[in-house]
Amino acid sequence: MRKPQNVYDNSQFFEEYQKMRDSKINANELIEIPQIKAMMPDIKDKMILDLGCGDGGMSRYFAENGAKRVLGLDISNNMIKLAKSKTQQANVEYIVGEMENISKLNEKFDIVFSSLAFHYVEDFEKLMADISGLLKPNGILLFSQEHPIATAIIPSNKDMKKYIEINGKRYFLLSDYNNNSCRSLNWNIEGVIKYHRNFSSIINAIIKSGMSVLQVGESQADEKAVQLVEKYKYQIDRPYFLYIKAQKV
Ligand SMILES: C[S@@+](CC[C@H](N)C(=O)[O-])C[C@H]1O[C@@H](n2cnc3c(N)ncnc32)[C@H](O)[C@@H]1O
């Protein structure tokens, strides 16, 4: 097992990433956040764990919308520092920690939430088992991650195009889909590690952990997003994010 990578504490990566997030013109704001919010369970009076909480945007959202307590956890000191500086609510707490070690938390939650962080974790079966152990009976897991059809390809070199164009239409390449393993990417910096898992591995890990799947969503850019960012037209009929809501049974 590899040591978890903490790329958000690399100053060059962090600066580029925050520039993108602060612009508000990005796939998080325009596509992922509204779509995962549409799958949100009732959060009033709930104890919520936000895994890979980043700057705490969703943790604050939970507190603003009536959560009883929110615990945000992130591997990155940079992120937790930023989250603390942006948060006033007394019922939101942040800790620096690895998702790989959450079985050590000694409290139970009504909701475990995570936005775009699970593809950084190598052992997904363990992550699901640990989350199941932290959920109260009937507790809910809601998460997003990069979609397996987007994470699958292993390019032969860093400049290789991941699509071909025929008669002006872009056709995306889908290879290496059943090769569940890490992918090293050039994103803000070289060597960012993410983990690809095919769809059945994701679903089966959830089921094996004692949760049942309640709802699955796949992202779709809408007209407003495409108007603001033209290249999102390629995300109208090709999902980039996967959303899953599951319940501890
Ligand atoms: C794409 S950002 C998303 C942040 C936040 N959830 C949001 O949507 O704004 C991914 C976050 O996951 C965190 N992360 C990555 N690997 C982690 C790990 N092994 N344990 C805890 N957090 C991790 C990163 O530090 C980063 O803040």
Side-chain angles (χ1 to χ4, degrees), residues 4-9 17 21 28 32-33 50-58 73-76 79 97-100 113-121 187:
Q5 187 185 43
N6 183 0
V7 77
Y8 291 76
D9 275 352
Y17 177 80
R21 292 303 300 264
N28 305 67
E32 191 259 350
I33 294 174
D50 183 358
L51 292 175
C53 63
D55 81 340
M58 286 304 292
L73 176 144
D74 201 287
I75 196 172
S76 159
M79 281 298 187
E98 297 173 359
M99 283 186 272
E100 288 77 357
F113 174 85
S114 184
S115 164
L116 299 179
F118 284 0
H119 45 255
Y120 293 104
V121 175
W187 180 42

Side-chain angles (χ1 to χ4, degrees), residues 31-41 57-58 61-62 65 113 142 243:
I31 301 173
E32 191 259 350
I33 294 174
Q35 292 178 352
I36 200 164
K37 278 184 179 171
M39 293 173 69
M40 198 61 75
M58 286 304 292
Y61 171 83
F62 296 136
N65 287 279
F113 174 85
L142 175 63
Y243 313 106

Side-chain angles (χ1 to χ4, degrees), residues 102-243:
I102 52 170
S103 61
K104 295 192 182 117
L105 295 173
N106 57 2
E107 68 182 290
K108 300 276 181 195
F109 298 90
D110 301 293
I111 298 171
V112 174
F113 174 85
S114 184
S115 164
L116 299 179
F118 284 0
H119 45 255
Y120 293 104
V121 175
E122 182 170 7
D123 190 342
F124 190 71
E125 277 201 5
K126 179 178 182 304
L127 180 65
M128 290 304 109
D130 289 347
I131 289 171
S132 185
L134 290 173
L135 280 171
K136 295 180 189 175
N138 300 318
I140 299 283
L141 165 67
L142 175 63
F143 72 94
S144 63
Q145 62 153 80
E146 288 183 11
H147 197 290
I149 69 160
T151 56
I153 190 169
I154 303 175
S156 59
N157 64 65
K158 69 179 168 52
D159 301 318
M160 187 191 129
K161 283 203 173 86
K162 294 177 184 162
Y163 57 84
I164 52 170
E165 273 179 354
I166 301 171
N167 296 333
K169 180 172 168 175
R170 198 171 276 197
Y171 293 84
F172 288 86
L173 303 175
L174 179 61
S175 64
D176 309 293
Y177 181 76
N178 288 327
N179 180 352
N180 288 352
S181 61
C182 75
R183 304 287 186 267
S184 178
L185 310 153
N186 184 1
W187 180 42
N188 298 331
I189 57 168
E190 285 202 9
V192 176
I193 301 291
K194 295 183 184 176
Y195 292 91
H196 165 76
R197 295 172 261 270
N198 62 12
F199 189 72
S200 56
S201 308
I202 295 167
I203 297 293
N204 286 330
I206 295 169
I207 295 167
K208 192 175 168 190
S209 76
M211 292 188 268
S212 59
V213 174
L214 297 182
Q215 192 180 355
V216 177
E218 294 171 290
S219 65
Q220 187 174 27
D222 61 14
E223 231 169 75
K224 184 183 151 217
V226 177
Q227 264 168 19
L228 289 165
V229 183
E230 206 220 335
K231 68 175 181 188
Y232 291 164
K233 66 184 179 200
Y234 303 118
Q235 292 194 40
I236 293 173
D237 56 10
R238 177 179 182 266
Y240 200 78
F241 304 119
L242 173 67
Y243 313 106

